[in-house]
Amino acid sequence: MTGPDPPSAVDHEPARWWCGALATALRDAAIEAGGIAGGITQDWLDDRGREWAERAERVARELVRDAEAAEDLAGALAREAGGPGGSVASSGGPGASGLPGAAQVAAALAAAGALRPGARLGGTEATRVDDERGIRIAQLPDQGADGG
Amino acid sequence: MRPEVHLRPDRLRRHAAAADQLADALLSALLGPGRPVLAGPADDELARLETGARRAIGELAEMASVLRSAASAAESADTATAGALGRILP
């Protein structure tokens, strides 16, 4: 007795397409939300305005995160069906050519954050920095052996 | 001087309209035809994404409302300031 037939690639195609479309919509929304955050930062210069600018930025970040999750889900559906693995883009799903990339979204968020007045605190991104510390004092080159 | 005087009501209304449009676009994406019925963890993940999108929609709708209120307050402040100046200046 044989088991059920494994799902064919075509069975997951509508679901994969839908998840890809959702990912595109979420990424587009993230960019727009970043733009709104930047606009509020520029045009509403008090504590309430800053609060709402931060809330808009938070919405943008969450939309980016959910867009990535939707893309991952589309990829997982592709792998489960035994179709071409990985990304919606490689499968030719929606947004293959027009999907806003992470770089665009990051630029929109950075633009919104750059307009905010006040002290800027370090982020939580893990970035390797130079190990050197302190002031580097300019020095004259060593004199030659003849003591010129 | 009242803080609302420094606001630009036209710009705040533009941001409110943008937030409303964005909320509508997200809702259309969620309610569009062809929402798949998946099984197990995949469906849980899809439900989680839908919940997140709905939360963003709610936040954007509230943001639009607050922006419009701020724009109205700014216009009221402008009117009051203009009235006060009109009484002071010849």
Side-chain angles (χ1 to χ4, degrees), chain B residues 11-34:
Chain B
R11 290 184 179 173
L12 295 181
R13 286 213 167 84
R14 194 185 320 151
H15 301 321
D20 271 337
Q21 285 177 354
L22 185 52
D24 287 344
L26 273 174
L27 190 60
S28 295
L30 282 183
L31 298 180

Side-chain angles (χ1 to χ4, degrees), chain A residues 15 18-19 22 25-26 29 32-33 36 39-40 43-46 48 52 55-56 59 62-63 65-66 69-70 73 77, chain B residues 7 11-12 15 18-19 22 26 29-30 32-36 38 42 45-46 48-49 52 56 59 62-63 66-67 70:
Chain A
W18 198 92
C19 291
L22 179 63
L26 290 171
E32 292 292 330
I36 292 171
I40 295 174
D43 297 327
W44 196 353
L45 299 174
D46 62 17
R48 281 193 76 210
W52 279 100
R55 287 175 71 163
V59 168
E62 289 172 357
L63 288 170
R65 184 196 64 201
D66 289 347
L73 182 56
L77 290 171
Chain B
L7 301 180
R11 290 184 179 173
L12 295 181
H15 301 321
L22 185 52
L26 273 174
L30 282 183
R35 195 275 195 200
L38 304 174
E45 177 67 359
L46 197 53
R48 188 191 69 76
L49 292 173
E59 187 79 345
E62 185 181 354
M63 191 180 306
V66 168
L67 284 164

Side-chain angles (χ1 to χ4, degrees), chain B residues 62-84:
Chain B
E62 185 181 354
M63 191 180 306
S65 174
V66 168
L67 284 164
R68 277 190 288 269
S69 295
S72 296
E75 285 172 338
S76 299
D78 285 346
T79 302
T81 301

